[in-house]
Amino acid sequence: MLYGRSQYNRPSRFISEINQTLLEETSSRPAATTQGYSKPQVLKPVYHQPTKATVSSKKMTGAHTSDWSIGDKVNHKKWGQGTVVKMISEGQDTELFIAFPQQGVKRLLAAFAPIEKIE
């Protein structure tokens, strides 16, 4: 619909490159007229059942299993060595604020951060 009128455009010039077994006809389209548009027709809507997308679970690093406390030294894969300066724990989630010498203070979730506690 464009400005309350049905408008039918030409098919893409690249449709012929698509394997015909992959195409599915969902509705009939009226033939184009010489004026560039055709008379509006009422078409039945075509509904497709949504498919359930598989959500990949984020990989936990194992850092969430450590008992964290302020002052703990950590090693981050990218930012190097840092110090825990603040912690917020809510249930199983532990949020760590870690000070790194070159990058400043970073806020990380212990469950997903690529960090290791230095003993």
Side-chain angles (χ1 to χ4, degrees), residues 2 31 40 46 49 51 54 58 63 66 68 80 91 99 119:
L2 182 63
V46 177
Q49 183 67 25
T51 58
T54 55
K58 293 185 178 182
S66 298
W68 295 99
E119 299 296 328

Side-chain angles (χ1 to χ4, degrees), residues 25-98:
E25 185 71 31
T26 57
S27 64
S28 60
R29 207 180 91 139
T33 63
T34 57
Q35 297 174 342
Y37 64 91
S38 61
K39 187 175 180 179
Q41 291 183 348
V42 178
L43 298 175
K44 279 191 193 178
V46 177
Y47 297 102
H48 296 282
Q49 183 67 25
T51 58
K52 189 174 186 179
T54 55
V55 178
S56 62
S57 60
K58 293 185 178 182
K59 184 179 177 185
M60 294 188 147
T61 63
H64 67 287
T65 59
S66 298
D67 291 326
W68 295 99
S69 60
I70 294 175
D72 284 345
K73 300 290 183 192
V74 301
N75 192 31
H76 188 277
K77 288 183 180 180
K78 182 177 178 182
W79 299 321
Q81 196 169 4
T83 306
V84 177
V85 293
K86 183 179 174 184
M87 289 178 39
I88 299 175
S89 293
E90 292 182 14
Q92 292 180 336
D93 295 334
T94 302
E95 194 172 359
L96 302 172
F97 292 79
I98 303 173

Side-chain angles (χ1 to χ4, degrees), residues 5-21:
R5 301 175 92 185
S6 295
Q7 178 178 340
Y8 300 96
N9 298 324
R10 292 188 330 238
S12 170
R13 62 184 177 181
F14 302 108
I15 286 182
S16 62
E17 296 176 8
I18 300 173
N19 186 343
Q20 293 298 314
T21 60

